[in-house]
Amino acid sequence: EIVLTQSPGTLSLSPGERATLSCRASQSVNNDYLAWYQQKPGQAPRLLIYGASSRATGIPDRFSGSGSGTDFTLTISRLEPEDFALYYCQQYGNSLTFGAGTKVEIK
Amino acid sequence: QLQLQESGPGLVKPSETLSLRCTVSGGAISGSRYYWGWLRQPPGKGLEWIGSFYYGGSIYYGPSLGSRVTISVDSSKNQFSLKMTSVTAADTALYYCARHALGIDAFDVWGRGTMVTVSS
Protein backbone atom coordinates (compact mmCIF):
# COMPACT_ATOMS: atom_id res chain seq x y z
CA GLU A 1 0.00 0.00 0.00
CA ILE A 2 1.31 3.42 -0.92
CA VAL A 3 1.47 5.88 1.99
CA LEU A 4 0.94 9.54 1.09
CA THR A 5 2.53 12.13 3.36
CA GLN A 6 1.16 15.64 3.07
CA SER A 7 3.01 18.71 4.29
CA PRO A 8 2.68 21.01 5.99
CA GLY A 9 -0.13 19.93 8.25
CA THR A 10 -1.36 23.51 8.45
CA LEU A 11 -0.58 26.45 6.20
CA SER A 12 -1.38 29.94 7.55
CA LEU A 13 -1.61 32.50 4.77
CA SER A 14 -3.42 35.69 3.84
CA PRO A 15 -5.82 36.19 0.93
CA GLY A 16 -3.88 36.97 -2.21
CA GLU A 17 -0.86 34.92 -1.18
CA ARG A 18 0.43 31.83 -2.94
CA ALA A 19 -0.13 28.41 -1.35
CA THR A 20 2.13 25.44 -2.03
CA LEU A 21 1.01 22.06 -0.71
CA SER A 22 3.15 18.93 -0.90
CA CYS A 23 2.22 15.26 -1.23
CA ARG A 24 4.98 12.68 -1.08
CA ALA A 25 4.38 9.01 -1.86
CA SER A 26 6.20 6.09 -0.21
CA GLN A 27 6.72 4.59 -3.67
CA SER A 28 6.22 5.75 -7.21
CA VAL A 29 2.58 6.37 -8.18
CA ASN A 30 1.75 4.40 -11.32
CA ASN A 31 0.88 6.56 -14.32
CA ASP A 32 0.88 9.61 -12.03
CA TYR A 33 -2.64 8.70 -10.90
CA LEU A 34 -2.60 11.43 -8.26
CA ALA A 35 -5.59 13.58 -7.43
CA TRP A 36 -6.23 16.56 -5.17
CA TYR A 37 -9.48 17.34 -3.37
CA GLN A 38 -10.76 20.32 -1.43
CA GLN A 39 -13.07 19.82 1.54
CA LYS A 40 -14.92 22.49 3.48
CA PRO A 41 -16.68 21.90 6.82
CA GLY A 42 -19.91 19.98 6.42
CA GLN A 43 -19.29 19.28 2.75
CA ALA A 44 -18.16 16.32 0.69
CA PRO A 45 -14.73 16.55 -0.93
CA ARG A 46 -14.55 18.28 -4.31
CA LEU A 47 -12.18 17.05 -7.00
CA LEU A 48 -9.69 19.74 -8.03
CA ILE A 49 -6.88 17.98 -9.90
CA TYR A 50 -6.52 14.52 -11.46
CA GLY A 51 -3.66 12.82 -13.25
CA ALA A 52 -1.32 15.02 -11.17
CA SER A 53 -1.86 18.13 -13.29
CA SER A 54 -5.26 18.17 -15.03
CA ARG A 55 -7.90 20.49 -13.60
CA ALA A 56 -11.34 19.00 -13.06
CA THR A 57 -14.38 20.56 -14.69
CA GLY A 58 -15.17 24.03 -13.37
CA ILE A 59 -12.02 24.42 -11.28
CA PRO A 60 -10.48 27.90 -11.51
CA ASP A 61 -7.07 28.20 -13.12
CA ARG A 62 -5.52 29.54 -9.93
CA PHE A 63 -5.36 25.87 -8.90
CA SER A 64 -2.57 23.88 -10.50
CA GLY A 65 -0.98 20.52 -9.89
CA SER A 66 2.49 19.31 -10.72
CA GLY A 67 4.89 16.50 -10.00
CA SER A 68 5.59 12.94 -10.94
CA GLY A 69 6.72 9.68 -9.41
CA THR A 70 6.77 10.25 -5.66
CA ASP A 71 6.61 14.04 -5.29
CA PHE A 72 3.53 16.07 -6.11
CA THR A 73 2.50 19.66 -5.48
CA LEU A 74 -0.78 21.56 -5.44
CA THR A 75 -0.35 25.29 -5.96
CA ILE A 76 -2.99 27.96 -5.43
CA SER A 77 -1.57 31.02 -7.14
CA ARG A 78 -3.56 33.69 -5.29
CA LEU A 79 -5.72 32.63 -2.37
CA GLU A 80 -9.34 33.70 -2.49
CA PRO A 81 -11.44 33.75 0.70
CA GLU A 82 -13.28 30.59 -0.42
CA ASP A 83 -10.00 28.66 -0.78
CA PHE A 84 -9.40 28.35 2.95
CA ALA A 85 -10.20 24.69 3.50
CA LEU A 86 -8.74 21.21 3.88
CA TYR A 87 -6.89 19.65 0.96
CA TYR A 88 -6.27 15.95 0.41
CA CYS A 89 -4.16 14.10 -2.10
CA GLN A 90 -5.15 10.63 -3.28
CA GLN A 91 -3.36 8.01 -5.37
CA TYR A 92 -4.89 5.32 -7.55
CA GLY A 93 -1.76 3.71 -8.91
CA ASN A 94 -1.55 0.96 -6.33
CA SER A 95 -4.79 0.27 -4.47
CA LEU A 96 -6.27 3.63 -3.43
CA THR A 97 -5.07 5.75 -0.55
CA PHE A 98 -5.40 9.31 0.73
CA GLY A 99 -3.00 11.60 2.48
CA ALA A 100 -3.85 12.97 5.92
CA GLY A 101 -4.60 16.42 4.58
CA THR A 102 -3.29 19.98 4.73
CA LYS A 103 -5.39 22.71 6.30
CA VAL A 104 -5.08 26.11 4.66
CA GLU A 105 -6.14 28.68 7.23
CA ILE A 106 -6.39 32.44 7.28
CA LYS A 107 -3.40 34.11 8.88
CA GLN B 1 -27.11 16.16 -13.44
CA LEU B 2 -25.74 13.12 -11.69
CA GLN B 3 -26.58 12.88 -8.00
CA LEU B 4 -25.75 10.27 -5.38
CA GLN B 5 -27.66 9.87 -2.13
CA GLU B 6 -26.62 7.70 0.77
CA SER B 7 -29.19 6.22 3.13
CA GLY B 8 -29.24 3.91 6.11
CA PRO B 9 -29.54 3.78 9.89
CA GLY B 10 -27.62 6.41 11.75
CA LEU B 11 -27.00 4.19 14.77
CA VAL B 12 -25.67 0.63 14.82
CA LYS B 13 -24.84 -1.49 17.86
CA PRO B 14 -21.36 -2.93 18.33
CA SER B 15 -20.84 -6.38 16.76
CA GLU B 16 -23.83 -5.86 14.45
CA THR B 17 -23.88 -5.30 10.67
CA LEU B 18 -23.90 -1.85 9.12
CA SER B 19 -25.96 -1.60 5.93
CA LEU B 20 -25.99 1.45 3.68
CA ARG B 21 -27.43 2.17 0.27
CA CYS B 22 -26.44 4.63 -2.42
CA THR B 23 -29.14 5.73 -4.87
CA VAL B 24 -27.90 7.20 -8.13
CA SER B 25 -30.04 9.60 -10.17
CA GLY B 26 -29.32 11.40 -13.42
CA GLY B 27 -27.21 8.58 -14.80
CA ALA B 28 -27.01 4.79 -14.90
CA ILE B 29 -24.58 2.82 -12.76
CA SER B 30 -24.37 0.41 -15.69
CA GLY B 31 -22.50 3.08 -17.65
CA SER B 32 -19.32 1.78 -19.17
CA ARG B 33 -16.86 4.43 -18.07
CA TYR B 34 -17.35 4.51 -14.35
CA TYR B 35 -16.50 2.81 -11.11
CA TRP B 36 -18.70 3.40 -8.09
CA GLY B 37 -17.37 3.34 -4.59
CA TRP B 38 -17.73 3.79 -0.87
CA LEU B 39 -15.49 5.92 1.33
CA ARG B 40 -15.65 7.02 4.92
CA GLN B 41 -14.35 9.76 7.18
CA PRO B 42 -14.26 9.38 10.97
CA PRO B 43 -15.10 12.58 12.85
CA GLY B 44 -12.23 15.05 12.60
CA LYS B 45 -10.11 12.64 10.57
CA GLY B 46 -9.14 11.95 6.98
CA LEU B 47 -10.67 9.96 4.16
CA GLU B 48 -10.51 6.18 3.79
CA TRP B 49 -11.44 4.22 0.70
CA ILE B 50 -13.64 1.21 1.48
CA GLY B 51 -14.13 -0.31 -1.96
CA SER B 52 -15.30 0.18 -5.54
CA PHE B 53 -16.89 -1.79 -8.34
CA TYR B 54 -17.21 -1.64 -12.07
CA TYR B 55 -20.66 -2.66 -13.28
CA GLY B 56 -20.47 -6.13 -14.79
CA GLY B 57 -16.87 -6.41 -13.67
CA SER B 58 -14.75 -6.66 -10.60
CA ILE B 59 -15.21 -5.40 -7.08
CA TYR B 60 -12.17 -4.05 -5.26
CA TYR B 61 -11.84 -3.61 -1.53
CA GLY B 62 -9.41 -1.56 0.48
CA PRO B 63 -6.87 -3.51 2.52
CA SER B 64 -7.78 -2.25 5.97
CA LEU B 65 -11.35 -3.55 6.22
CA GLY B 66 -10.75 -6.88 4.52
CA SER B 67 -13.43 -9.51 4.70
CA ARG B 68 -15.81 -7.44 6.86
CA VAL B 69 -17.05 -5.51 3.83
CA THR B 70 -19.31 -6.47 0.93
CA ILE B 71 -20.44 -4.22 -1.90
CA SER B 72 -23.42 -5.24 -4.01
CA VAL B 73 -25.37 -3.74 -6.88
CA ASP B 74 -29.05 -3.51 -7.82
CA SER B 75 -29.07 -2.12 -11.34
CA SER B 76 -32.87 -2.31 -11.60
CA LYS B 77 -33.07 0.32 -8.87
CA ASN B 78 -29.86 2.11 -9.88
CA GLN B 79 -28.51 1.51 -6.40
CA PHE B 80 -25.51 -0.06 -4.78
CA SER B 81 -25.03 -1.11 -1.20
CA LEU B 82 -22.42 -1.55 1.49
CA LYS B 83 -22.50 -4.13 4.26
CA MET B 84 -19.93 -4.12 7.04
CA THR B 85 -20.00 -6.84 9.65
CA SER B 86 -18.85 -6.91 13.29
CA VAL B 87 -18.73 -3.14 13.65
CA THR B 88 -16.98 -1.42 16.52
CA ALA B 89 -16.77 2.19 17.70
CA ALA B 90 -13.85 2.61 15.27
CA ASP B 91 -16.34 2.30 12.42
CA THR B 92 -18.14 5.47 13.50
CA ALA B 93 -17.79 7.76 10.53
CA LEU B 94 -19.39 9.80 7.77
CA TYR B 95 -19.91 7.36 4.91
CA TYR B 96 -19.83 8.61 1.33
CA CYS B 97 -20.68 7.01 -1.98
CA ALA B 98 -18.95 8.43 -5.03
CA ARG B 99 -18.31 7.95 -8.74
CA HIS B 100 -14.83 7.19 -9.96
CA ALA B 101 -14.50 8.02 -13.65
CA LEU B 102 -12.19 6.05 -15.88
CA GLY B 103 -9.80 8.37 -17.66
CA ILE B 104 -10.01 10.78 -14.75
CA ASP B 105 -9.17 8.06 -12.25
CA ALA B 106 -10.48 10.05 -9.32
CA PHE B 107 -13.77 10.52 -7.52
CA ASP B 108 -15.51 13.25 -9.49
CA VAL B 109 -19.05 13.08 -8.07
CA TRP B 110 -19.84 12.53 -4.38
CA GLY B 111 -22.93 12.07 -2.28
CA ARG B 112 -23.43 14.31 0.72
CA GLY B 113 -22.57 11.52 3.12
CA THR B 114 -24.46 9.80 5.89
CA MET B 115 -23.26 9.69 9.50
CA VAL B 116 -23.14 6.30 11.17
CA THR B 117 -22.50 6.00 14.89
CA VAL B 118 -21.62 2.66 16.45
CA SER B 119 -22.81 2.62 20.03
CA SER B 120 -24.84 0.47 22.38
mmCIF file of all heavy atoms in Angstrom, chain B residues 2 4 34-37 97-101 104 106-110:
data_model
loop_
_atom_site.group_PDB
_atom_site.id
_atom_site.type_symbol
_atom_site.label_atom_id
_atom_site.label_comp_id
_atom_site.label_asym_id
_atom_site.label_seq_id
_atom_site.Cartn_x
_atom_site.Cartn_y
_atom_site.Cartn_z
ATOM 1 N N LEU B 2 -25.908 14.308 -12.500
ATOM 2 C CA LEU B 2 -25.745 13.117 -11.689
ATOM 3 C C LEU B 2 -25.777 13.466 -10.205
ATOM 4 O O LEU B 2 -25.101 14.401 -9.766
ATOM 5 C CB LEU B 2 -24.424 12.441 -12.027
ATOM 6 C CG LEU B 2 -24.204 11.084 -11.338
ATOM 7 C CD1 LEU B 2 -25.041 10.010 -12.030
ATOM 8 C CD2 LEU B 2 -22.737 10.707 -11.350
ATOM 9 N N LEU B 4 -25.842 11.479 -6.175
ATOM 10 C CA LEU B 4 -25.747 10.273 -5.378
ATOM 11 C C LEU B 4 -26.288 10.597 -3.990
ATOM 12 O O LEU B 4 -26.006 11.669 -3.440
ATOM 13 C CB LEU B 4 -24.300 9.793 -5.264
ATOM 14 C CG LEU B 4 -23.650 9.174 -6.513
ATOM 15 C CD1 LEU B 4 -23.278 10.228 -7.542
ATOM 16 C CD2 LEU B 4 -22.428 8.365 -6.113
ATOM 17 N N TYR B 34 -17.410 4.093 -15.739
ATOM 18 C CA TYR B 34 -17.350 4.510 -14.347
ATOM 19 C C TYR B 34 -17.217 3.347 -13.368
ATOM 20 O O TYR B 34 -17.783 2.284 -13.562
ATOM 21 C CB TYR B 34 -18.615 5.300 -13.980
ATOM 22 C CG TYR B 34 -18.871 6.465 -14.896
ATOM 23 C CD1 TYR B 34 -19.935 6.426 -15.804
ATOM 24 C CD2 TYR B 34 -18.047 7.583 -14.877
ATOM 25 C CE1 TYR B 34 -20.166 7.487 -16.659
ATOM 26 C CE2 TYR B 34 -18.275 8.644 -15.738
ATOM 27 C CZ TYR B 34 -19.326 8.593 -16.623
ATOM 28 O OH TYR B 34 -19.544 9.640 -17.471
ATOM 29 N N TYR B 35 -16.443 3.614 -12.307
ATOM 30 C CA TYR B 35 -16.499 2.806 -11.111
ATOM 31 C C TYR B 35 -17.378 3.564 -10.115
ATOM 32 O O TYR B 35 -17.536 4.785 -10.195
ATOM 33 C CB TYR B 35 -15.102 2.631 -10.497
ATOM 34 C CG TYR B 35 -14.236 1.613 -11.185
ATOM 35 C CD1 TYR B 35 -13.553 1.921 -12.356
ATOM 36 C CD2 TYR B 35 -14.071 0.347 -10.644
ATOM 37 C CE1 TYR B 35 -12.740 0.983 -12.987
ATOM 38 C CE2 TYR B 35 -13.261 -0.596 -11.259
ATOM 39 C CZ TYR B 35 -12.598 -0.261 -12.427
ATOM 40 O OH TYR B 35 -11.800 -1.179 -13.044
ATOM 41 N N TRP B 36 -17.889 2.806 -9.161
ATOM 42 C CA TRP B 36 -18.697 3.405 -8.095
ATOM 43 C C TRP B 36 -18.139 2.893 -6.775
ATOM 44 O O TRP B 36 -17.807 1.707 -6.657
ATOM 45 C CB TRP B 36 -20.160 3.003 -8.252
ATOM 46 C CG TRP B 36 -20.698 3.352 -9.603
ATOM 47 C CD1 TRP B 36 -20.635 2.595 -10.733
ATOM 48 C CD2 TRP B 36 -21.329 4.580 -9.981
ATOM 49 N NE1 TRP B 36 -21.195 3.262 -11.795
ATOM 50 C CE2 TRP B 36 -21.640 4.479 -11.365
ATOM 51 C CE3 TRP B 36 -21.678 5.743 -9.291
ATOM 52 C CZ2 TRP B 36 -22.277 5.507 -12.057
ATOM 53 C CZ3 TRP B 36 -22.314 6.759 -9.986
ATOM 54 C CH2 TRP B 36 -22.604 6.646 -11.354
ATOM 55 N N GLY B 37 -18.054 3.772 -5.787
ATOM 56 C CA GLY B 37 -17.366 3.342 -4.592
ATOM 57 C C GLY B 37 -17.948 3.896 -3.310
ATOM 58 O O GLY B 37 -18.820 4.765 -3.302
ATOM 59 N N CYS B 97 -20.792 7.736 -0.725
ATOM 60 C CA CYS B 97 -20.677 7.008 -1.979
ATOM 61 C C CYS B 97 -20.236 8.017 -3.040
ATOM 62 O O CYS B 97 -20.510 9.226 -2.928
ATOM 63 C CB CYS B 97 -21.963 6.298 -2.376
ATOM 64 S SG CYS B 97 -23.443 7.306 -2.552
ATOM 65 N N ALA B 98 -19.527 7.528 -4.043
ATOM 66 C CA ALA B 98 -18.945 8.434 -5.029
ATOM 67 C C ALA B 98 -18.723 7.712 -6.340
ATOM 68 O O ALA B 98 -18.635 6.470 -6.390
ATOM 69 C CB ALA B 98 -17.626 9.009 -4.507
ATOM 70 N N ARG B 99 -18.615 8.485 -7.417
ATOM 71 C CA ARG B 99 -18.306 7.953 -8.737
ATOM 72 C C ARG B 99 -16.838 8.180 -9.037
ATOM 73 O O ARG B 99 -16.293 9.246 -8.792
ATOM 74 C CB ARG B 99 -19.153 8.643 -9.802
ATOM 75 C CG ARG B 99 -18.983 8.048 -11.197
ATOM 76 C CD ARG B 99 -19.799 8.799 -12.222
ATOM 77 N NE ARG B 99 -19.169 10.041 -12.637
ATOM 78 C CZ ARG B 99 -19.625 10.811 -13.628
ATOM 79 N NH1 ARG B 99 -20.734 10.467 -14.266
ATOM 80 N NH2 ARG B 99 -19.005 11.931 -13.955
ATOM 81 N N HIS B 100 -16.248 7.133 -9.615
ATOM 82 C CA HIS B 100 -14.833 7.194 -9.962
ATOM 83 C C HIS B 100 -14.764 7.000 -11.473
ATOM 84 O O HIS B 100 -15.042 5.923 -11.975
ATOM 85 C CB HIS B 100 -14.109 6.061 -9.217
ATOM 86 C CG HIS B 100 -12.637 6.017 -9.421
ATOM 87 N ND1 HIS B 100 -11.783 5.542 -8.443
ATOM 88 C CD2 HIS B 100 -11.865 6.355 -10.456
ATOM 89 C CE1 HIS B 100 -10.541 5.613 -8.886
ATOM 90 N NE2 HIS B 100 -10.559 6.098 -10.095
ATOM 91 N N ALA B 101 -14.452 8.060 -12.189
ATOM 92 C CA ALA B 101 -14.500 8.018 -13.647
ATOM 93 C C ALA B 101 -13.211 7.493 -14.245
ATOM 94 O O ALA B 101 -12.125 7.973 -13.902
ATOM 95 C CB ALA B 101 -14.799 9.421 -14.185
ATOM 96 N N ILE B 104 -10.324 9.787 -15.769
ATOM 97 C CA ILE B 104 -10.008 10.784 -14.749
ATOM 98 C C ILE B 104 -9.320 10.088 -13.585
ATOM 99 O O ILE B 104 -8.393 10.619 -12.977
ATOM 100 C CB ILE B 104 -11.286 11.509 -14.280
ATOM 101 C CG1 ILE B 104 -11.803 12.441 -15.372
ATOM 102 C CG2 ILE B 104 -11.040 12.277 -12.989
ATOM 103 C CD1 ILE B 104 -13.056 13.209 -14.998
ATOM 104 N N ALA B 106 -10.277 9.378 -10.607
ATOM 105 C CA ALA B 106 -10.475 10.049 -9.323
ATOM 106 C C ALA B 106 -11.981 10.125 -9.094
ATOM 107 O O ALA B 106 -12.766 9.923 -10.020
ATOM 108 C CB ALA B 106 -9.860 11.435 -9.331
ATOM 109 N N PHE B 107 -12.359 10.438 -7.856
ATOM 110 C CA PHE B 107 -13.775 10.517 -7.516
ATOM 111 C C PHE B 107 -14.302 11.903 -7.891
ATOM 112 O O PHE B 107 -14.015 12.888 -7.213
ATOM 113 C CB PHE B 107 -13.977 10.240 -6.028
ATOM 114 C CG PHE B 107 -13.639 8.823 -5.640
ATOM 115 C CD1 PHE B 107 -12.431 8.528 -5.034
ATOM 116 C CD2 PHE B 107 -14.529 7.790 -5.890
ATOM 117 C CE1 PHE B 107 -12.113 7.224 -4.676
ATOM 118 C CE2 PHE B 107 -14.220 6.483 -5.550
ATOM 119 C CZ PHE B 107 -13.007 6.193 -4.944
ATOM 120 N N ASP B 108 -15.089 11.959 -8.964
ATOM 121 C CA ASP B 108 -15.510 13.254 -9.488
ATOM 122 C C ASP B 108 -16.909 13.669 -9.061
ATOM 123 O O ASP B 108 -17.262 14.836 -9.183
ATOM 124 C CB ASP B 108 -15.386 13.298 -11.022
ATOM 125 C CG ASP B 108 -16.284 12.287 -11.716
ATOM 126 O OD1 ASP B 108 -16.689 11.288 -11.071
ATOM 127 O OD2 ASP B 108 -16.579 12.492 -12.908
ATOM 128 N N VAL B 109 -17.721 12.737 -8.570
ATOM 129 C CA VAL B 109 -19.050 13.077 -8.067
ATOM 130 C C VAL B 109 -19.242 12.344 -6.743
ATOM 131 O O VAL B 109 -19.009 11.134 -6.669
ATOM 132 C CB VAL B 109 -20.171 12.691 -9.056
ATOM 133 C CG1 VAL B 109 -21.523 13.110 -8.497
ATOM 134 C CG2 VAL B 109 -19.933 13.336 -10.416
ATOM 135 N N TRP B 110 -19.688 13.080 -5.727
ATOM 136 C CA TRP B 110 -19.840 12.532 -4.383
ATOM 137 C C TRP B 110 -21.278 12.730 -3.898
ATOM 138 O O TRP B 110 -21.931 13.713 -4.250
ATOM 139 C CB TRP B 110 -18.909 13.251 -3.396
ATOM 140 C CG TRP B 110 -17.452 13.060 -3.629
ATOM 141 C CD1 TRP B 110 -16.712 13.491 -4.707
ATOM 142 C CD2 TRP B 110 -16.524 12.415 -2.754
ATOM 143 N NE1 TRP B 110 -15.387 13.143 -4.546
ATOM 144 C CE2 TRP B 110 -15.243 12.489 -3.354
ATOM 145 C CE3 TRP B 110 -16.646 11.792 -1.508
ATOM 146 C CZ2 TRP B 110 -14.102 11.957 -2.761
ATOM 147 C CZ3 TRP B 110 -15.502 11.269 -0.915
ATOM 148 C CH2 TRP B 110 -14.247 11.344 -1.537
#
